[in-house]
Amino acid sequence: MLCIVNGGLYIKSIREIAEILSSDISQRKLGNPFFNEKNYKSYPLDEKNFHEIKASKNQKKLAFIDGGNQELLPAPEYSVQLNRVYFNIFRNNERIAPRSNISQRIEFLSFTSSKMDGKNIEFQTKIAAEEDFLKYLPNEKDLKASTHDEEIETGTQAGMERMASMARRFSEWTIAEHMIDSELDSGDIIIKDGSLQTSHTNEYKYVDNVFKKALEKKVIFAGLSKTCRLTTDTQISLVDSIQRLAEESNLSYDKWCYYPVAKSKEENSNHRALIMIVKLNKHAYTSFRFEILKEQADKMNKDDILEVLSLVADNSRDIRLPGYPYGLIDADMWARVKNDELEGYKTKLYSELSRKGVWSKVNPLMKIVDTHEKLDNK
């Protein structure tokens, strides 16, 4: 049992940790972007790679898409998830309605189960959705995976959580493909929350489809990451290194793009992107990782890229989070599954399981994995 006497342990420990962190952070040099050289071509840090983002009169449409999911029923061998995907479209910072009959927010349930296959665990996900939504969602036959294919540790709850998020993740790509096909035109831009990297075995097929559609219609496909864990070869945050380089260079730009950071090589089929770091507002509290589909970026010059970022920066003036696109703030708000609304869905599901006479078998399974949640709520 941990004993805290008059808070003395905390104060002493906090001072020691602060001293260690202070010493470590002051000793590290900026370094250069660190990537797996087999898959990426990276470029050394150079102040000449800062480019000013200026205002533009471009009136192309800017679309954003994000998704969220939360677990309704946790168990070692099952996971029932509530999934949502939401998109929006802006022109001149004015929200515009979709011209097709697709709902901007698509919600569905998914059921992921696991079973042993030799030394591997096989996962399978089934989808339950309104009839009108099914055509925008991934095929269930693609929502199968094994611990061997996904390179995850057998028997971990993290593996189940990762597999259970596949339905939401694939849906973001299928709905993005529909948006490009039906809502956007040549020169318009679609921005997905997160990077353009795939992380599941069958995800490549969906990403390939949406990228082909973007190339065919000349709609620029981009991704913006809220968080960035990339580092330099001295193990400093890449974003922090570039921000510090901007300060040391006395950069006078209010909004800037640092490019290029790195570019995927041809053989890297899991991640096809030109990677850059962007500061989209004078008052931005941080910079963000921004990517453009590699095949499109290869045909763009510096002015073309800055033209895209000018539109994104113009959408990044919301006072709640300056420097982050309002379109992604809005998409996050409507796609996120909040804890308080989850309770209503849980009640209905548990009642239905009770009506079918299986609640007494399901309830003990849930108790096995939800102790953490109960402790968190104490």
Side-chain angles (χ1 to χ4, degrees):
M1 179 181 290
L2 177 65
C3 295
I4 306 299
V5 181
N6 296 328
L9 176 60
Y10 277 146
I11 293 172
K12 181 175 180 295
S13 299
I14 287 171
R15 284 175 177 165
E16 287 179 3
I17 292 298
E19 177 61 31
I20 293 170
L21 177 60
S22 174
S23 173
D24 189 276
I25 205 168
S26 62
Q27 290 176 15
R28 296 197 187 210
K29 305 297 182 185
L30 294 186
N32 289 308
F34 177 72
F35 286 80
N36 180 343
E37 294 300 328
K38 179 183 174 185
N39 296 322
Y40 298 91
K41 174 177 173 55
S42 60
Y43 301 83
L45 285 191
D46 189 330
E47 62 183 81
K48 293 179 182 175
N49 289 336
F50 285 106
H51 309 286
E52 184 177 17
I53 301 174
K54 299 177 180 176
S56 169
K57 294 182 180 178
N58 191 323
Q59 297 188 351
K60 293 296 183 182
K61 284 180 281 189
L62 199 54
F64 300 88
I65 183 167
D66 194 8
N69 60 285
Q70 280 255 38
E71 195 166 45
L72 292 175
L73 189 157
E77 63 273 60
Y78 302 118
S79 179
V80 177
Q81 300 272 335
L82 173 59
N83 306 272
R84 280 184 188 148
V85 178
Y86 176 85
F87 75 88
N88 52 40
I89 306 172
F90 296 84
R91 190 202 297 271
N92 293 334
N93 271 340
E94 296 290 332
R95 190 190 299 265
I96 61 176
R99 58 192 182 198
S100 70
N101 59 2
I102 185 175
S103 170
Q104 284 183 257
R105 187 166 81 161
I106 290 181
E107 187 173 274
F108 62 96
L109 297 178
S110 59
F111 170 79
T112 302
S113 60
S114 64
K115 63 179 182 180
M116 292 300 299
D117 181 21
K119 294 182 178 179
N120 292 319
I121 298 177
E122 299 284 336
F123 295 90
Q124 181 174 5
T125 296
K126 293 188 176 298
I127 286 175
E130 296 293 325
E131 188 68 27
D132 290 345
F133 292 168
L134 287 174
K135 59 186 173 185
Y136 303 115
L137 301 180
N139 193 317
E140 288 181 351
K141 70 179 183 183
D142 294 320
L143 298 175
K144 296 179 179 178
S146 72
T147 48
H148 178 267
D149 294 337
E150 299 283 329
E151 297 180 347
I152 56 177
E153 188 177 348
T154 302
T156 63
Q157 191 60 26
M160 173 57 84
E161 291 171 5
R162 184 160 177 248
M163 294 302 103
S165 69
M166 223 167 23
R168 184 267 303 163
R169 189 173 171 90
F170 286 20
S171 301
E172 292 177 15
W173 295 116
T174 54
I175 293 170
E177 184 181 354
H178 171 84
M179 291 168 64
I180 294 170
D181 194 36
S182 304
E183 306 292 344
L184 302 175
D185 302 299
S186 176
D188 291 341
I189 302 158
I190 180 169
I191 299 178
K192 179 181 179 297
D193 177 69
S195 83
L196 304 186
Q197 191 164 16
T198 61
S199 60
H200 294 284
T201 307
N202 290 327
E203 189 173 8
Y204 174 77
K205 178 165 59 175
Y206 290 88
V207 174
D208 195 45
N209 287 340
V210 71
F211 285 174
K212 280 180 179 173
K213 184 65 69 176
L215 290 166
E216 174 190 317
K217 289 200 66 176
K218 298 182 179 177
V219 171
I220 297 166
F221 205 105
L224 189 146
S225 302
K226 283 193 282 284
T227 57
C228 176
R229 295 192 178 278
L230 295 176
T231 65
T232 64
D233 53 12
T234 55
Q235 286 297 290
I236 288 185
S237 156
L238 176 63
V239 170
D240 185 48
S241 291
I242 290 174
Q243 290 180 153
R244 285 163 60 177
L245 180 62
E247 291 175 8
E248 293 173 6
S249 305
N250 295 315
L251 199 67
S252 59
Y253 307 150
D254 289 340
K255 297 170 288 183
W256 49 256
C257 161
Y258 182 93
Y259 126 89
V261 170
K263 184 184 292 187
S264 308
K265 292 183 178 177
E266 294 296 333
E267 57 269 29
N268 187 358
S269 58
N270 292 326
H271 193 195
R272 297 153 58 183
L274 168 70
I275 301 171
M276 59 194 87
I277 302 297
V278 296
K279 180 185 177 186
L280 297 171
N281 189 288
K282 178 181 180 179
H283 303 292
Y285 79 102
T286 189
S287 310
F288 295 102
R289 169 180 172 178
F290 190 84
E291 302 180 2
I292 295 177
L293 174 60
K294 178 183 178 298
E295 290 91 328
Q296 294 177 323
D298 283 344
K299 296 179 180 177
M300 300 166 77
N301 59 33
K302 183 184 73 175
D303 291 338
D304 295 332
I305 290 172
L306 291 173
E307 186 75 16
V308 170
L309 291 170
S310 176
L311 280 175
V312 184
D314 196 40
N315 190 266
S316 305
R317 297 181 291 168
D318 190 274
I319 194 168
R320 291 171 294 178
L321 194 56
Y324 189 74
Y326 171 75
L328 285 179
I329 296 174
D330 180 66
D332 175 83
M333 183 175 67
W334 286 100
R336 181 177 300 207
V337 181
K338 300 179 179 67
N339 287 332
D340 55 350
E341 60 181 326
L342 205 61
E343 293 306 315
Y345 288 91
K346 284 182 177 178
T347 300
K348 291 174 184 172
L349 176 61
Y350 299 169
S351 296
E352 189 63 20
L353 290 171
S354 181
R355 193 178 70 80
K356 290 185 174 298
V358 295
W359 176 244
S360 61
K361 295 180 179 177
V362 172
N363 193 28
L365 298 176
M366 294 171 57
K367 290 177 178 176
I368 293 171
V369 297
D370 73 351
T371 306
H372 264 299
E373 182 180 345
K374 290 189 179 301
L375 287 172
D376 288 344
N377 293 330
K378 292 295 181 186

